[in-house]
């Protein structure tokens, strides 16, 4: 007899759990292994459909709004037209009413117009036309004792009197104006006469001043001429005295006898050893002239020696400069040679390094990097969601 084992509730739950996990794993694989779904993560078609539907709804709403706005504008236009027509009809009716009232309902045609007539008082006669008005009775209270009945005549007389007074005032004013003008004319004449007198006095003063200046000028010219004559006389006298003195000096016996010359020590000044008295000094002696000549020759010799020394120092300085420049040139040549040697060493080192790099690269490509990955290596990935 076969023994069949029945599935319990626990087994069913485990089987359902396993099946649910298997389904979830399959869905997870589909989601992960699908690049588009993994990157986007949502259904773009459904979203696009929703967007299209939303756009259609918006267009429908806009179309309905546009229709409603057009209908509303039409209704507003109709309402405005009706309102305008109603106002015109009311205006026309009001105008007809006013015309009827003006033609057939005049105020003066009313029964009570005499009570409301604005010109009623103007149309009535005054209470008192004149003093002998028969309507004035004792009870009229229009005529009393002591009343000024000659008011009009009195006013006329007053006007005549005022007119006479005004005429008299005008005459007096004209007379005063004439007197004032006469006084002004007299004052102007006096001022003009005074100004003319002042002009005449000024003219006389100018003439006197001119004559005085002319006299002063003549006097100054006379003084200048006198001074010039005096100066010329003095100058001529001085020249004559000088000529006489020169003549006497030239014709004197002192110039012919050398032994009679004055002592040179007499011209020595007390102000210093080299100072001379000008009016006693008669010139240098031969010894002094020789001394000055020797001094000049000595100065010339010193100047020549000084120039020779300067020339020698200049030559030495130029020789020093040339030697320095030559030394600098040699040093530059040495530096250039060393620089070339350093460049050569660097080039040799670079060649050596290039050879080493080339050999290392060859070693890596031929020995180290020979085991390349195949397709089997990459196929082992993406087999599970974990």
């Amino acid at each position: 007899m076969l023994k069949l084992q029945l599935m319990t509730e626990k087994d069913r739950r485990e089987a359902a759990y396993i099946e649910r996990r298997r389904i979830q794993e399959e869905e997870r694989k589909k989601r992960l292994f699908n690049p588009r779904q993994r990157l986007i993560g949502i259904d773009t078609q459904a979203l696009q459909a929703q967007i299209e539907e939303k756009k259609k709804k918006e267009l429908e709403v806009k179309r309905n709004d546009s229709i409603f706005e057009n209908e509303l504008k039409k209704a507003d236009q109709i309402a405005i037209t009706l309102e305008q027509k109603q106002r015109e009809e009311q205006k026309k009716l009001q105008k007809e009413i006013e015309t009827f009232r003006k033609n057939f309902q005049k105020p003066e045609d009313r029964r009570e117009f005499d009570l409301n007539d604005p010109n009623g008082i103007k149309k009535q006669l005054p209470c008192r036309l004149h003093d002998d008005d028969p309507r004035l009775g004792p009870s009229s209270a229009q005529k009393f004792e002591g009343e000024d009945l000659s008011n009009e005549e009195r006013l006329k007389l007053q006007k005549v009197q005022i007119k006479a007074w005004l005429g008299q005032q005008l005459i007096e004013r004209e007379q005063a104006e004439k007197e004032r003008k006469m006084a002004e004319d007299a004052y102007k004449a006096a001022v003009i006469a005074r100004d003319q007198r002042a002009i005449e006095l000024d003219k006389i003063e100018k003439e006197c001043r001119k004559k005085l200046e002319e006299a002063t000028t003549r006097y100054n010219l006379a003084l200048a001429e006198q001074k010039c004559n005096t100066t010329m006389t003095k100058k001529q006298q001085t020249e004559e005295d000088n000529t006489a003195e020169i003549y006497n000096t030239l014709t004197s016996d002192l110039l012919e006898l050398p032994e009679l010359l004055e002592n040179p020590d007499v011209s020595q000044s007390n102000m210093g050893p080299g100072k001379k008295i000008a009016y006693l000094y008669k010139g240098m002696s031969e010894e002094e002239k020789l001394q000055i000549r020797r001094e000049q020759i000595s100065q010339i010799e010193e100047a020549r020696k000084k120039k020779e020394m300067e020339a020698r120092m200049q030559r030495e300085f130029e020789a020093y400069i040339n030697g320095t420049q030559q030394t600098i040139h040699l040093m530059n040549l040495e530096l250039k040679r060393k620089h070339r040697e350093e460049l050569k060493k660097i080039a040799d080192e670079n060649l050596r390094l290039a050879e080493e790099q080339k050999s290392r690269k060859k070693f890596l490509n031929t020995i180290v990097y020979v085991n390349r990955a195949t397709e089997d290596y990459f196929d082992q990935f993406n087999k599970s969601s974990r």
Side-chain angles (χ1 to χ4, degrees):
M1 184 176 179
L2 296 175
K3 293 182 179 180
L4 299 175
Q5 187 176 1
L6 299 176
M7 184 178 292
T8 61
E9 185 66 26
K10 184 177 179 181
D11 295 336
R12 285 195 297 271
R13 286 199 301 270
E14 289 180 357
Y17 176 74
I18 292 169
E19 184 66 19
R20 187 171 65 253
R21 291 297 303 273
R22 187 181 63 78
I23 294 171
Q24 291 177 356
E25 183 67 19
E26 292 297 330
E27 291 178 354
R28 180 179 174 84
K29 286 182 180 180
K30 291 179 181 179
R31 188 170 61 253
L32 293 177
F33 294 157
N34 188 357
R36 181 178 179 182
Q37 187 175 0
R38 185 176 67 251
L39 295 175
I40 298 175
I42 56 175
D43 190 0
T44 56
Q45 294 179 357
L47 291 176
Q48 189 66 28
Q50 291 177 2
I51 292 170
E52 294 294 335
E53 185 178 357
K54 187 176 181 181
K55 288 182 178 179
K56 289 179 181 180
K57 288 182 179 180
E58 290 178 354
L59 292 174
E60 185 67 22
V61 171
K62 287 183 179 179
R63 188 174 63 81
N64 293 333
D65 292 341
S66 177
I67 294 171
F68 179 75
E69 288 177 359
N70 293 330
E71 293 295 332
L72 185 61
K73 288 180 180 179
K74 290 180 182 179
D76 291 340
Q77 189 68 27
I78 293 170
I80 291 169
T81 305
L82 292 175
E83 186 178 358
Q84 186 176 3
K85 187 176 181 181
Q86 185 179 3
R87 284 200 300 268
E88 290 178 356
E89 290 178 355
Q90 290 180 356
K91 187 176 181 181
K92 185 177 180 181
L93 180 61
Q94 188 70 23
K95 187 175 181 181
E96 291 177 355
I97 292 171
E98 292 294 333
T99 304
F100 179 79
R101 287 178 179 176
K102 187 182 294 184
N103 295 328
F104 302 102
Q105 293 181 353
K106 296 180 179 180
E108 57 268 17
D109 294 338
R110 297 177 184 176
R111 291 180 298 176
E112 65 276 6
F113 178 72
D114 56 344
L115 299 176
N116 299 322
D117 188 3
N119 297 322
I121 298 175
K122 295 180 181 179
K123 294 177 181 179
Q124 292 178 2
L125 294 174
C127 297
R128 179 179 177 181
L129 294 176
H130 47 80
D131 294 339
D132 298 332
D133 193 350
R135 296 179 301 165
L136 299 178
S139 62
S140 63
Q142 294 293 323
K143 187 176 181 181
F144 303 95
E145 294 295 334
E147 188 177 3
D148 189 7
L149 299 177
S150 60
N151 185 24
E152 294 181 359
E153 295 179 359
R154 183 172 54 79
L155 291 176
K156 290 180 180 180
L157 291 174
Q158 288 179 354
K159 290 179 180 179
V160 172
Q161 188 177 7
I162 290 171
K163 187 176 181 180
W165 288 349
L166 290 175
Q168 184 66 26
Q169 289 179 1
L170 289 174
I171 293 171
E172 292 177 356
R173 184 175 295 177
E174 290 177 357
Q175 186 66 26
E177 185 69 20
K178 289 180 180 180
E179 293 178 357
R180 186 182 63 79
K181 287 184 178 180
M182 291 175 64
E184 287 181 356
D185 294 339
Y187 177 74
K188 289 180 181 179
V191 171
I192 292 171
R194 184 188 62 188
D195 293 341
Q196 290 179 354
R197 180 62 178 168
I199 292 169
E200 291 177 358
L201 292 175
D202 185 62
K203 187 176 180 181
I204 293 170
E205 183 180 359
K206 287 181 179 179
E207 290 178 356
C208 293
R209 188 175 296 173
K210 184 177 180 181
K211 291 180 180 179
L212 182 61
E213 289 177 356
E214 290 177 355
T216 304
T217 303
R218 289 195 297 271
Y219 178 73
N220 291 332
L221 290 174
L223 287 177
E225 186 177 0
Q226 183 180 0
K227 185 177 181 180
C228 183
N229 294 330
T230 304
T231 304
M232 292 295 293
T233 303
K234 289 182 179 180
K235 185 177 180 181
Q236 186 177 1
Q237 184 67 32
T238 303
E239 289 178 355
E240 290 177 357
D241 294 341
N242 292 334
T243 303
E245 184 179 359
I246 292 169
Y247 178 77
N248 293 330
T249 302
L250 292 174
T251 57
S252 177
D253 296 335
L254 295 175
L255 296 177
E256 296 177 359
L257 299 175
E259 62 275 6
L260 297 178
L261 290 174
E262 64 179 1
N263 189 3
D265 295 334
V266 176
S267 62
Q268 187 67 31
S269 176
N270 294 327
M271 301 300 293
K275 300 291 183 178
K276 300 291 183 179
I277 299 174
Y279 61 88
L280 296 177
Y281 184 66
K282 298 299 182 178
M284 293 186 295
S285 62
E286 293 296 331
E287 185 178 357
E288 290 176 347
K289 292 179 180 180
L290 291 174
Q291 181 67 25
I292 291 172
R293 182 60 182 169
R294 286 194 295 271
E295 186 68 25
Q296 289 177 349
I297 293 170
S298 175
Q299 291 178 357
I300 292 170
E301 187 66 22
E302 289 180 359
R304 185 181 62 77
K305 290 180 180 180
K306 186 176 181 181
K307 288 182 179 179
E308 290 179 355
M309 184 178 294
E310 290 178 355
R312 182 172 57 79
M313 291 178 67
Q314 183 67 24
R315 288 194 298 272
E316 291 178 356
F317 181 73
E318 290 177 356
Y320 174 74
I321 293 296
N322 293 329
T324 304
Q325 290 179 352
Q326 187 174 3
T327 304
I328 292 171
H329 180 66
L330 294 175
M331 291 175 67
N332 289 331
L333 292 176
E334 183 67 20
L335 290 174
K336 289 180 180 179
R337 185 183 62 77
K338 291 181 179 180
H339 184 64
R340 286 196 299 271
E341 291 179 356
E342 290 178 357
L343 291 177
K344 186 176 180 181
K345 290 180 180 179
I346 292 170
D348 295 339
E349 183 68 20
N350 290 334
L351 289 174
R352 186 181 63 78
L353 292 174
E355 291 294 335
E356 289 181 358
Q357 186 177 6
K358 186 176 180 181
S359 61
R360 179 176 176 79
K361 188 175 182 181
K362 184 177 180 181
F363 172 76
L364 293 174
N365 292 331
T366 56
I367 297 174
V368 178
Y369 299 145
V370 294
N371 188 14
R372 298 184 179 275
T374 60
E375 295 294 335
D376 296 334
Y377 174 76
F378 296 102
D379 290 339
Q380 65 181 339
F381 299 102
N382 291 335
K383 296 297 183 181
S384 175
S385 62
R386 302 297 174 182

